[in-house]
Amino acid sequence: MFLQLERLTKSYSGRTVVDEVTLDIEPGELVCLLGPSGCGKTTTLRMIGGFVTPDSGRVLIEDSDMTRVPANLRPTSTVFQSYALFPHMSAVRNVAYGLRMQRIARKDADSRAREMLTMVGLQSRADASVETLSGGEQQRLALARSLIVNPKVLLLDEPLSNLDAKLRQRMRREIRMLQSRLGITTVHVTHDQEEALGIADRVVVMNEGRIEQIGSPRDVYERPATRFVAGFIGRGSFLANRGSKESFVRPEDVLIRASGDGLRGTISHIQFSGPVVTYFVDTPAGTLQADIPLKSDNGFEVGSSVTCKIGNEATFVL
Amino acid sequence: MLQPGSDTVSTDANRKERSSWSAPFRAHAETALQWLMLASLGVFILWPIAAVLKVGLFVDGRPTLELIRSALVDSRGLLGNSVFVGVTATALTLFIAVNVALWATRSGSRLSKPLFGLLLLTMISPPFVTSLSYVMLFGRRGLITYKLLGLTLNPYGWHGVVLMQGIGFTSLAAILLIGVLRGMDGRLEEASRDLGASPTSTIGRVTMPLLIPGLAAVSLITFVESLADFGTPIIIGGRFTVLATQAYLNFIGISNLPVAAAMGILLLVPSLIAFLLYRHFMGRLTFYTKGTGSAGEPMALPRWLLILTGTVTFMFAAFVTLQYLTILFGAFATTWGVDFTPTLKHIQGLPSTAFASISRSIRFALFTAIVGSMLGMIVAYLLERRRFWGRSGLDFIATLPFMIPGPFLGIGYALAFRDAPLALTGTLAIVLLNMIYRQLPVGTKAGAAVLSQADPEVEDAARDLGAAEHQVVKDVVFPQLRPAFLVGFVNTFTASMVTIGAIIFLISPGTKVATIELFGAVRGGHIGVAAVLANIIMLVTLAVNLFFSWLMLRRDATKEGVLSVPATRAIDQVIQRSDGGR
């Protein structure tokens, strides 16, 4: 194992924010820690980076114990949510800083920093002051500054949350391509499930300091292990079942027809969102969402009686 | 293109090599620094305070309120006088300052800028300038009362004290309130208008409530300053005296140290109450300055308010201008009130000690500004970035000099450093130490203001990239603190140039400074000489202020954000300035 977290636990004034988190990460893997705010994902990341000391548990990188090693001596590097660029240094000085800390001569450090800036497409802004860079440029600069020290583990703390939607999509692609090209082991923290599903090799879903599920993006979407994961990732409907059970249905697994076998209900609301039309069907078991591809939509109206055929469902014990 | 792996080995070697020494070194150096700061603040702030309490509350080693009682009885209502002047002067200051601030931010007049300049200029106010100009304008031979109106009035009494204090403290208060008003989220007012409120209701229901924290801060500062001010009552109070005056006379005049200490304690009580009230209320109030200020034009004032604020502002500005012109021309008038023929005789006739005193003032102020600001930066760094035992204690002690009236700290130094182990009476050191620790909040607040705005993740980023703790401080913290150091330097210099409240208890002939010289001239009735001295102090201070403002604006042209003054920063600024120690 390349990076191991062993039963990491951290409390702040009596409140446990990270609770026995155990995780093994392979070399070159990109793992996303995903969860709502306050779920402990950022604290976990900061414990890997050495900014927070765990109350108990260990952090191991290539089998050596890093738990008590201060941040400056760890082979990790973080891209901070705020980017945390040095405001009093130019872009190239920011990137060269980590090399200077390794006692590399200024000239050498600067020329390598310029190469790195070229790699992230910032060669023309090398001498610009940090404040004059746009949000996307600052993001790339922060990435370049982390990558230049050749970290064994790259830590990304919600790196895209300050960008607008279009730019976020593009940076997501760029980060993933750069990461696979360099083969750098990466832990990425985000609350944006679309981002996590789109970028990760494996997704770790966290809630209230605990890991709910670890799996490939497909796994956590198609086979949610807990009710929380089902509700947190993607959309879907919970239906009351026989006894103490509850089933969870993704909207794309529902077919609605005017008549036939299935769950009977009445359409209460219709939402149009481009490629699909979402019908909200009130049934005795609860409200069911059904995504019907635009091409095969039959144009039902609010108030129509329909039957729903459910293709695939997950069942949870209440 | 990056070369993965090529320098992994050297990096690891480097890391191991450094880890062998940097970690223990770091831990020791930092702990030592924390203890050193705590110890120095203990000796130079807490001990003097304790010394006053000991002398004022103990007789022959037994705790007693005897001295306090005799101070209260002997002084025949001095405490009442002090509080009365404090409350009325504060009310007057608040009234003028709110009007000026509203007009300056909301009238849209082109005169707002010169008005702000005038306020800044008049914040550089040597002690006694207001009382001196009062005597020159309204005294027995006053320009207005005697020369223009032909009256011979006795102007001495509490009216003059309240009036001159109220006007004297207004510049500071108005600048603070302007800062709060400018920092206010203008969209709140827009929302109020949008929901159908008239400009008058908006001012009453949105603007003023949002201004309350600012008003609270202004009231506290003005009240404490008024209590500590012994110069104005001693010059124009006539038979009306206050605690600060009487403490001074007891100490200097008849060397009755226990009574002086008891009076100092009486002076401390209302200041502390004001401070605690302020803390209590401020704990619940927040500065609503989130958001990026107004999106559009500031809301126009309703007509009646425009007229009111405009009138008050104009009268205030005219009076202040008249005051400063009076001082300026007073330096060149043969005999003020009798013979206004221009002359240079006051300049030529300056006592021989005056030039030495002026030069001393400048050197002392420079020294205080440099050492005090550096100390302030260190304290700010410890407070904002370190978690250690005694941190909140350090915070409290470092703020103490701001809320303690100057005379109290002056008496404290005189009492604490009389005897061994630190017998400093009559030395240069006692004056400089007093100035440095008295002005310490100036640098501390400036540093804390910058650090609290700076993202601590930036320092994490440096650590992350391999910087050891001392490198983080050198490469990231100090460069960011540079503007704070300059602000602290200028403000400490200004405060030190005009300070008198505390050091008057510590000065010996060899350490006499310009403000003491000025005090002597005013008390001796040498109006011309006093005016010359006041002008010199103002010019020197102004020159230094302008030079450093220019330096800051030039070098930080792109970083205006650091220097612009949103509400809480304005508070800090005022807290820094207010410590001027009149």
Side-chain angles (χ1 to χ4, degrees), chain B residues 376-387:
Chain B
M377 295 304 120
I378 295 172
V379 174
Y381 169 73
L382 291 176
L383 289 181
E384 288 289 326
R385 290 296 190 262
R386 296 282 134 206
R387 295 279 167 269

Side-chain angles (χ1 to χ4, degrees), chain A residues 46 51 71 78-89 94 97-98 101 130-131 138 142 145 157, chain B residues 381 385 450-451 453-469 471-473 475-481:
Chain A
R46 292 179 70 80
F51 302 113
T78 309
V79 174
F80 294 89
Q81 182 171 14
S82 62
Y83 311 140
L85 298 167
F86 305 126
H88 56 292
M89 298 182 193
N94 261 280
Y97 189 83
M101 287 301 113
V130 165
E131 285 131 76
Q138 292 193 1
R145 186 179 66 176
D157 183 8
Chain B
Y381 169 73
R385 290 296 190 262
V450 168
L451 281 182
Q453 272 187 323
D455 180 1
E457 279 198 339
V458 173
E459 288 141 51
D460 278 348
R463 282 181 199 111
D464 197 42
L465 295 167
E469 222 44 37
Q471 288 167 315
V472 174
V473 171
D475 295 341
V476 181
V477 179
F478 278 0
Q480 293 193 84
L481 275 176

Side-chain angles (χ1 to χ4, degrees), chain B residues 258-282:
Chain B
V259 171
M263 288 182 165
I265 294 169
L266 285 180
L267 203 54
L268 185 64
V269 171
S271 303
L272 276 183
I273 292 175
F275 185 78
L276 291 175
L277 282 176
Y278 170 78
R279 288 277 286 249
H280 177 73
F281 287 114
M282 290 300 285

Side-chain angles (χ1 to χ4, degrees), chain B residues 69-276:
Chain B
R69 190 160 59 221
S70 71
L72 271 174
V73 173
D74 288 356
S75 56
R76 291 175 302 273
L78 280 188
L79 180 62
N81 284 357
S82 281
V83 173
F84 169 73
V85 169
V87 170
T88 41
T90 302
L92 182 61
T93 298
L94 270 187
F95 175 74
I96 307 176
V98 167
N99 278 289
V100 171
L102 277 176
W103 192 83
T105 51
R106 302 290 149 93
S107 69
S109 164
R110 263 181 296 167
L111 290 174
S112 306
K113 268 203 170 148
L115 174 70
F116 196 70
L118 182 74
L119 293 174
L120 282 176
L121 189 71
T122 51
M123 267 175 56
I124 305 170
S125 148
F128 316 117
V129 157
T130 47
S131 352
L132 186 59
S133 62
Y134 181 78
V135 171
M136 291 165 83
L137 291 171
F138 307 109
R140 289 207 173 83
R141 291 272 178 270
L143 182 66
I144 292 177
T145 43
Y146 178 72
K147 207 68 177 167
L148 293 180
L149 304 174
L151 303 167
T152 315
L153 291 174
N154 178 6
Y156 301 102
W158 67 266
H159 311 86
V161 178
V162 168
L163 184 70
M164 298 321 282
Q165 281 191 352
I167 290 172
F169 299 145
T170 295
S171 303
L172 205 66
I175 284 178
L176 163 66
L177 294 178
I178 288 173
V180 179
L181 282 171
R182 282 195 186 147
M184 216 176 258
D185 189 348
R187 279 164 300 192
L188 295 172
E189 284 178 357
E190 284 168 11
S192 163
R193 297 297 308 282
D194 196 48
L195 294 166
S198 68
T200 302
S201 325
T202 300
I203 293 275
R205 287 165 184 266
V206 177
T207 315
M208 292 310 280
L210 291 177
L211 202 54
I212 285 175
L215 295 175
V218 168
S219 308
L220 170 72
I221 289 158
T222 312
F223 183 69
V224 173
E225 272 206 78
S226 167
L227 285 185
D229 176 23
F230 73 95
T232 312
I234 220 169
I235 307 292
I236 60 174
R239 263 180 289 167
F240 179 83
T241 52
V242 294
L243 270 176
T245 321
Q246 225 43 40
Y248 166 76
L249 292 175
N250 267 297
F251 191 93
I252 302 290
I254 54 179
S255 286
N256 191 342
L257 299 189
V259 171
M263 288 182 165
I265 294 169
L266 285 180
L267 203 54
L268 185 64
V269 171
S271 303
L272 276 183
I273 292 175
F275 185 78
L276 291 175

Side-chain angles (χ1 to χ4, degrees), chain A residues 97-116:
Chain A
Y97 189 83
L99 297 178
R100 297 283 297 143
M101 287 301 113
Q102 297 173 10
R103 310 278 161 88
I104 289 169
R106 167 157 280 177
K107 244 180 111 179
D108 209 7
D110 277 5
S111 75
R112 280 171 60 186
R114 279 177 201 278
E115 282 172 35
M116 179 54 79

